[in-house]
């Protein structure tokens, strides 16, 4: 029996961790399986590593330490050579009075003690620590590649790595244990360490006197803790990776792209390699993509209860198109796969066309574009339609041809999912129109635009409440979310302080925040006007859309992330947009008349919502141009969301002469929702038929005479809950001078 196993048996029994009978049984089985007692107990989860450590510490009266809570000075590290520390698996802790204290996972016998003391030239004091903590500490202070590099150098100090195709076998399983100190093993360690740290990318950057290795973890680049000696092996490392990706190792003047697959004990990893020539040598980036897709529920992705049901309703439509928008790396593909997983069933045929196929998904036909044979999104999409799909996912809409095919596919009874690179959801509409897609196609086919961003999540181990929240942040949260005074008292913000679990960043993992712009009747009508993105966003927010910024603040108040994360990835909402939302909510809550009275305190004595009798009998001759007037003329003017007092009187056909119109006898007072030099939109308690002609009096300045003209009702929107109507009108006979006055008013309002 090994000496350590005997010591372990005695101490597990004396500390009542296991009974003597249990220890005997486990020892016998471990011997039969060719394992040490410790290996057997840990691999079968019979005891924990911590229980073993505590038992040994108590039984042998040896101090135990938690290396994760200790900072070791560089001078102490220098006392123990890297090769020595890795070989004996000891971690220096402190050095005092010519005595160095080192941590070990098991008791050190007298012979080994003397050997270490003679090699180090100082007296040695031992303490116990977890083996896993010792390994992490060695990586942290010496660099996780230092042991392999030291072995390579000691084996042949002037060795130039000879990389050949036979080395490929080493990368097939990057967790295969090997004692052979090769560059192949060095590359394996770099990739494996990145995967274990949840990195999505590895950056290798050469400089004049050093090589920088960085990992992108949770969207942020952090320096990889590698040995400085790694710079001597840069050429060999890059050549090794190039061979794996079938790239030319002799070509260093041009960028190259390739891919390869490696495996760990858990799963296969798809590596996408890209090289770029720089004055100091080749720079390389390795994207790490797990081939086993992690299918998250919509709730886990970041959808809250308020929006998840609405989104499920959208993606379960039988036809239409849904666009996800956002920059590269914002998680659009993950969300798309979550959508497909949500609606995937044996009754549906789902086909995707991607560049490249990032995740393998069961039950779905996945197609990858290939530019080398001119197989792109557009001609691939045409071929997909001949395979009788119910649902299609197009990886990205990059050009007008792909966009047109995708949209027309949605119009022919298919459900289509795709992505666009835009800053927000409203910009998706203008992007399609700018590509050359007709507005009527956009309005009739698209179901929703979903913008998203990824934010880092507070570390659950070290998250604490922020005591002093900056007043500016509080004010913006209150303004953005329309919090009441009572709700403002409950504002709490949390932030991770940093610990070993989160690598002292304060964050662990990421989540998405969303902005869902559903294309309803109001948006469809606006799209036909060739509008700007900010105008669409304002209408969408009035219709109930929660912006990225607002969604982000909600996540902050839930304690999931910090204000800095939200401000880094979102743009502050315009105060005019927020004011328009507040007014719209107040209007719907209070009713049109109460809202108008509150907002227009400067109104004339009749009061808003007032009804006056009109006794005049002036006749107005009907004009044939009213029937054929180009509605586009009214849409080219910029508009502002301002509440301007107006009076209107519907006209009716004269009973004695149908060629003339006469006042209906009633004049109403109300306010506009928005106004332009081409038309306006106002609230009414009375429904007016589309196509009706009304007399308008517009009071943009009460110190001057009202602007008078005729207008035609072109659209009516009903709010059945409040029994009110929104009338959209365009002017028929507005004079040039009056149009100029309205233009000036709009310019001044927009500048405020």
């Amino acid at each position: 029996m090994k000496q350590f196993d005997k010591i372990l048996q005695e101490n597990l029994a004396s500390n009542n961790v296991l009974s003597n009978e249990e220890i005997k049984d486990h020892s016998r089985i471990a011997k039969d399986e060719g394992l040490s007692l410790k290996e057997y107990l840990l691999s079968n989860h019979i005891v924990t590593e911590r229980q073993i450590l505590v038992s040994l510490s108590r039984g042998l009266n040896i101090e135990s330490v938690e290396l994760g809570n200790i900072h070791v000075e560089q001078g102490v590290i220098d006392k123990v050579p890297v090769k020595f520390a890795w070989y004996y698996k000891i971690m220096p802790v402190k050095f005092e009075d010519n005595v160095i204290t080192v941590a070990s996972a098991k008791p050190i016998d007298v012979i080994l003690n003397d050997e270490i003391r003679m090699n180090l030239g100082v007296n040695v004091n031992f303490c116990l620590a977890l083996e896993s903590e010792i390994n992490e500490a060695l990586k942290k202070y010496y660099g996780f590649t230092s042991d392999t590099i030291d072995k390579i150098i000691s084996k042949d100090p002037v060795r130039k790595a000879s990389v050949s195709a036979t080395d490929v076998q080493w990368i097939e399983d990057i967790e295969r244990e090997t004692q052979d100190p090769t560059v192949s093993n060095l590359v394996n360690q770099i990739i494996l360490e990145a995967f274990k740290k949840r990195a999505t990318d590895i950056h290798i950057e050469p400089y004049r006197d050093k090589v920088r290795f960085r990992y992108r973890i949770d969207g942020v680049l952090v320096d990889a803790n590698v040995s400085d000696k790694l710079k001597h092996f840069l050429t060999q490392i890059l050549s090794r990776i190039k061979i794996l990706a079938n790239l030319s190792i002799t070509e260093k003047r041009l960028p190259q792209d390739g891919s390869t697959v490696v495996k760990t004990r858990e799963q296969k990893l798809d590596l996408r390699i890209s090289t770029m020539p720089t004055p100091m040598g080749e720079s390389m980036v390795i994207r790490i993509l797990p081939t086993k897709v992690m299918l998250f529920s919509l709730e886990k992705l970041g959808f809250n209860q308020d929006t998840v049901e609405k989104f499920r309703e959208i993606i379960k439509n039988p036809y239409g198109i849904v666009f996800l928008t956002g920059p590269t790396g914002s998680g659009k593909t993950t969300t798309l796969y979550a959508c497909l997983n949500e609606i995937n069933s044996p009754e549906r045929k789902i086909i995707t066309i991607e560049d490249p196929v990032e995740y393998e998904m069961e039950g779905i036909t996945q197609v990858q574009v290939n530019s080398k044979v001119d197989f792109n999104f557009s001609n691939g999409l045409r071929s997909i339609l001949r395979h009788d799909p119910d649902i299609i996912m197009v990886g990205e809409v990059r050009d007008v041809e792909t966009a047109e095919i995708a949209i027309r596919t949605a119009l022919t009874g298919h459900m289509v999912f795709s992505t666009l690179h835009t800053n927000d959801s409203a910009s998706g509409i203008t992007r399609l129109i700018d590509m050359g897609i007709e507005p009527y196609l956009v309005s009739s086919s698209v179901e929703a635009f979903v913008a998203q961003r990824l934010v880092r999540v507070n570390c659950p181990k070290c998250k604490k409440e922020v005591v002093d929240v900056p007043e500016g942040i509080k004010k913006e949260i209150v303004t953005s979310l329309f919090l009441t005074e009572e709700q403002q008292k409950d504002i709490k913000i949390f932030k991770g302080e940093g610990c070993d679990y989160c690598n002292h960043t304060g964050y662990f993992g990421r989540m998405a925040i969303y902005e869902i712009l559903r294309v309803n009747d109001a948006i469809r009508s606006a799209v036909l006007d060739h509008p700007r993105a900010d105008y669409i966003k304002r209408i969408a927010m009035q219709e109930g859309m929660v912006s990225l910024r607002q969604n982000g603040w909600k996540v902050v108040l839930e304690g999931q992330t910090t204000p800095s994360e939200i401000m880094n990835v979102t743009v502050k909402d315009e105060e005019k947009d927020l004011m328009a939302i507040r007014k719209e909510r107040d209007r719907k809550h209070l009713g049109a008349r109460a809202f108008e009275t509150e907002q227009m305190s400067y109104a004339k004595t009749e009061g808003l919502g007032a009804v006056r009798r009109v006794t005049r009998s002036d006749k107005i001759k009907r004009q044939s141009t009213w029937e054929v007037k180009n509605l586009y003329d009214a849409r080219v003017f910029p508009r502002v969301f301002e509440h301007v007092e107006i009076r209107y009187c519907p006209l009716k056909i004269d009973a004695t002469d149908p060629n003339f119109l006469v006042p209906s006898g009633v004049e109403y007072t109300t306010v506009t929702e928005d106004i332009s030099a081409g038309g306006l939109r106002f609230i009414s308690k009375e429904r007016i038929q589309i196509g009706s002609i009304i007399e308008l009096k517009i009071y943009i300045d009460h110190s001057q005479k009202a602007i008078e003209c005729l207008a035609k009702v072109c659209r009516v929107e009903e709010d059945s809950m409040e029994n009110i109507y929104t009338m959209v009108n365009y002017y028929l006979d507005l004079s040039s001078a009056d149009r100029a006055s309205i233009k000036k008013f709009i310019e001044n309002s927009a500048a405020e």
Side-chain angles (χ1 to χ4, degrees):
M1 181 184 294
K2 294 180 180 179
Q3 183 67 23
F4 178 69
D5 281 0
K6 185 176 180 180
I7 296 173
L8 183 59
Q9 288 180 8
E10 294 172 355
N11 287 281
L12 288 175
S14 62
N15 285 279
N16 298 319
V17 177
L18 294 173
S19 66
N20 287 320
E21 290 299 322
E22 289 175 323
I23 291 174
K24 287 180 181 179
D25 292 340
H26 294 318
S27 298
R28 186 182 68 256
I29 298 172
K31 184 178 180 180
D32 293 341
E33 294 183 2
L35 300 173
S36 68
L37 179 59
K38 180 181 178 181
E39 290 173 338
Y40 174 78
L41 294 176
L42 292 177
S43 62
N44 289 278
H45 307 289
I46 297 169
V47 297
T48 65
E49 195 177 0
R50 178 68 63 183
Q51 286 177 307
I52 292 176
L53 178 71
V54 172
S55 298
L56 292 174
S57 177
R58 289 176 180 174
L60 300 175
N61 196 26
I62 299 176
E63 179 189 3
S64 64
V65 295
E66 292 187 17
L67 293 178
N69 298 330
I70 296 175
H71 175 72
V72 183
E73 299 293 336
Q74 186 60 43
V76 179
I77 299 296
D78 294 339
K79 295 289 182 183
V80 182
V82 54
K83 182 169 62 175
F84 202 80
W86 278 103
Y87 180 79
Y88 288 108
K89 284 291 190 288
I90 57 174
M91 176 62 202
V93 176
K94 62 181 178 180
F95 181 74
E96 293 178 350
D97 301 328
N98 205 39
V99 176
I100 188 165
T101 301
V102 296
S104 173
K106 58 184 180 181
I108 304 297
D109 58 33
V110 177
I111 298 175
L112 188 56
N113 189 333
D114 290 341
E115 185 178 341
I116 295 174
R117 180 172 54 81
M118 290 177 62
N119 277 280
L120 296 182
V122 294
N123 292 323
V124 181
N125 180 41
F126 287 94
C127 59
L128 295 175
L130 296 179
E131 186 175 356
S132 57
E133 289 187 356
I134 291 174
N135 288 331
E136 287 301 315
L138 290 173
K139 291 178 184 179
K140 178 179 178 181
Y141 290 102
Y142 288 101
F144 66 86
T145 57
S146 56
D147 180 39
T148 304
I149 292 173
D150 204 66
K151 288 179 180 177
I152 294 174
I153 293 174
S154 62
K155 184 177 180 181
D156 185 357
V158 295
R159 176 181 185 271
K160 293 184 179 179
S162 57
V163 184
S164 64
T166 58
D167 285 333
V168 174
Q169 60 180 330
W170 291 103
I171 203 69
E172 288 180 355
D173 186 346
I174 60 175
E175 284 196 279
R176 180 188 301 170
E177 294 184 5
T178 175
Q179 300 300 320
D180 186 18
T182 64
V183 172
S184 298
N185 191 31
L186 199 60
V187 171
N188 293 353
Q189 289 183 39
I190 293 170
I191 297 171
L192 184 60
E193 185 71 12
F195 173 66
K196 288 182 176 179
K197 288 185 176 293
R198 302 178 296 108
T200 56
D201 300 88
I202 303 171
H203 290 244
I204 305 174
E205 304 159 326
Y207 296 96
R208 185 174 300 278
D209 299 319
K210 65 177 182 178
V211 177
R212 192 178 192 183
F213 282 74
R214 293 193 289 174
Y215 295 152
R216 187 174 293 280
I217 302 173
D218 293 335
V220 178
L221 283 172
V222 296
D223 284 320
N225 187 25
V226 297
S227 170
D228 292 338
K229 298 175 183 178
L230 205 61
K231 63 185 178 183
H232 302 301
F233 296 89
L234 176 62
T235 302
Q236 295 94 319
I237 290 172
L238 295 182
S239 296
R240 169 64 180 157
I241 298 172
K242 281 183 174 182
I243 287 177
L244 295 175
N246 292 320
L247 301 178
S248 171
I249 62 174
T250 59
E251 181 56 75
K252 300 179 181 180
R253 301 164 300 172
L254 297 173
Q256 296 187 75
D257 295 305
S259 64
T260 187
V261 176
V262 299
K263 67 178 181 180
T264 68
R265 293 174 187 171
E266 300 172 14
Q267 62 174 308
K268 292 181 180 179
L269 304 178
D270 192 356
L271 305 181
R272 308 292 167 85
I273 292 97
S274 178
T275 68
M276 182 76 69
T278 72
M280 296 298 113
E282 282 187 291
S283 174
M284 179 178 286
V285 175
I286 305 171
R287 168 65 62 88
I288 303 174
L289 295 171
T291 55
K292 184 171 66 177
V293 61
M294 297 179 65
L295 295 175
F296 296 103
S297 65
L298 295 177
E299 289 86 355
K300 284 190 175 181
L301 288 178
F303 285 97
N304 55 41
Q305 290 299 321
D306 296 336
T307 58
V308 69
E309 292 305 322
K310 294 179 182 178
F311 189 63
R312 281 198 173 103
E313 182 183 339
I314 293 170
I315 66 176
K316 290 181 179 179
N317 281 337
Y319 54 84
I321 185 166
V322 175
F323 283 104
L324 269 76
T325 72
T328 302
S330 60
K332 299 187 296 295
T333 303
T334 302
T335 302
L336 279 177
Y337 275 100
C339 293
L340 295 181
N341 184 58
E342 187 87 17
I343 58 180
N344 189 15
S345 68
E347 295 82 21
R348 291 190 175 106
K349 171 84 169 185
I350 302 178
I351 304 179
T352 73
I353 179 166
E354 307 168 64
D355 182 23
V357 174
E358 294 193 14
Y359 303 112
E360 297 173 6
M361 194 169 179
E362 189 174 347
I364 290 178
T365 303
Q366 296 174 278
V367 181
Q368 181 165 318
V369 301
N370 189 345
S371 58
K372 293 180 180 179
V373 293
D374 196 29
F375 181 62
N376 52 32
F377 281 113
S378 56
N379 53 36
L381 195 50
R382 290 191 186 94
S383 300
I384 285 175
L385 292 175
R386 293 191 285 271
H387 281 250
D388 188 29
D390 297 296
I391 298 165
I392 301 171
M393 187 191 93
V394 183
E396 183 183 349
V397 169
R398 298 174 179 173
D399 52 58
V400 63
E401 187 178 9
T402 306
E404 280 188 345
I405 298 172
I407 286 176
R408 294 188 185 278
T409 299
L411 290 173
T412 56
H414 299 84
M415 190 65 193
V416 182
F417 295 91
S418 190
T419 67
L420 282 171
H421 285 279
T422 61
N423 291 328
D424 57 16
S425 54
S427 299
I429 294 175
T430 55
R431 174 68 184 279
L432 290 174
I433 295 175
D434 291 343
M435 278 184 177
I437 305 298
E438 291 294 335
Y440 75 89
L441 287 176
V442 177
S443 64
S444 58
S445 63
V446 181
E447 291 295 322
F449 291 89
V450 182
Q452 74 175 76
R453 296 290 189 278
L454 292 178
V455 294
R456 291 183 291 174
V457 178
N458 284 327
C459 174
K461 304 288 186 181
C462 61
K463 179 176 72 173
K464 290 188 178 180
E465 184 178 351
V466 178
V467 178
D468 297 320
V469 181
E471 286 300 320
I473 291 176
K474 273 188 177 180
K475 183 179 179 182
E476 185 179 341
I477 292 175
V478 170
T479 304
S480 182
L481 300 182
F482 313 113
L483 300 183
T484 63
E485 291 186 5
E486 193 66 29
Q487 291 172 325
Q488 293 176 33
K489 298 176 183 178
D490 297 329
I491 291 180
K492 291 182 179 180
I493 294 176
F494 293 84
K495 183 179 181 180
E497 293 187 328
C499 62
D500 287 339
Y501 184 72
C502 62
N503 200 25
H504 298 280
T505 62
Y507 301 98
F508 190 88
R510 289 190 291 176
M511 66 176 295
I513 56 174
Y514 293 91
E515 175 182 278
I516 302 176
L517 189 158
R518 186 153 192 184
V519 182
N520 56 19
D521 290 341
I523 299 296
R524 288 190 179 95
S525 299
V527 169
L528 298 176
D529 295 348
H530 293 261
R532 297 186 311 181
D534 58 344
Y535 176 66
I536 296 173
K537 180 178 179 180
R538 191 172 300 173
I539 294 177
M541 292 179 74
Q542 284 183 316
E543 294 292 319
M545 182 186 81
V546 179
S547 71
L548 280 170
R549 190 77 156 198
Q550 289 175 315
N551 199 331
W553 289 134
K554 288 183 178 181
V555 173
V556 168
L557 294 184
E558 291 169 359
Q560 297 189 67
T561 190
T562 59
S564 60
E565 283 294 297
I566 302 304
M567 291 187 286
N568 284 341
V569 299
T570 64
V571 178
K572 185 178 180 181
D573 294 321
E574 293 286 341
E575 290 190 11
K576 289 184 178 181
D577 294 343
L578 297 174
M579 183 61 69
I581 299 168
R582 180 180 286 278
K583 289 178 179 179
E584 181 72 10
R585 290 183 178 182
D586 290 345
R587 177 179 72 82
K588 290 183 177 180
H589 179 68
L590 300 173
R593 186 170 302 179
F595 170 76
E596 292 160 1
T597 303
E598 177 186 352
Q599 296 296 325
M600 300 292 294
S601 58
Y602 57 82
K604 290 190 174 182
T605 55
E606 290 89 346
L608 293 170
V611 178
R612 296 193 307 124
R613 286 287 167 187
V614 179
T615 57
R616 73 177 190 276
S617 58
D618 300 342
K619 291 185 177 183
I620 301 173
K621 185 173 178 58
R622 298 177 68 180
Q623 305 292 326
S624 59
T625 55
W626 294 353
E627 306 301 327
V628 297
K629 182 177 176 64
N630 187 357
L631 184 57
Y632 182 73
D633 292 343
R635 292 173 174 162
V636 297
F637 298 102
R639 67 188 72 191
V640 291
F641 288 81
E642 291 288 344
H643 292 286
V644 176
E645 182 187 353
I646 65 168
R647 292 180 182 177
Y648 68 93
C649 176
L651 302 181
K652 62 181 181 180
I653 298 175
D654 185 12
T656 61
D657 189 344
N659 292 319
F660 286 86
L661 298 175
V662 294
S664 61
V666 180
E667 186 178 76
Y668 301 91
T669 305
T670 184
V671 291
T672 62
E673 287 281 86
D674 61 55
I675 183 171
S676 76
L680 51 78
R681 186 164 61 110
F682 63 80
I683 306 164
S684 174
K685 285 291 231 179
E686 307 296 329
R687 181 184 179 92
I688 304 176
Q689 294 297 322
I690 295 176
S692 299
I693 309 299
I694 61 174
E695 276 188 317
L696 273 179
K697 294 179 182 178
I698 308 171
Y699 295 89
I700 59 173
D701 186 348
H702 281 281
S703 64
Q704 298 180 10
K705 184 180 177 182
I707 294 174
E708 297 186 14
C709 68
L710 298 178
K712 185 175 182 177
V713 179
C714 61
R715 190 169 77 245
V716 178
E717 300 168 2
E718 180 181 3
D719 187 339
S720 57
M721 296 291 292
E722 299 294 340
N723 195 28
I724 55 178
Y725 304 90
T726 301
M727 307 291 179
V728 182
N729 313 264
Y730 61 86
Y731 311 129
L732 292 176
D733 61 346
L734 188 68
S735 68
S736 299
D738 288 339
R739 196 183 302 276
S741 297
I742 296 177
K743 281 184 178 180
K744 185 176 181 181
F745 168 77
I746 291 170
E747 290 172 359
N748 293 337
S749 298
E752 292 177 357

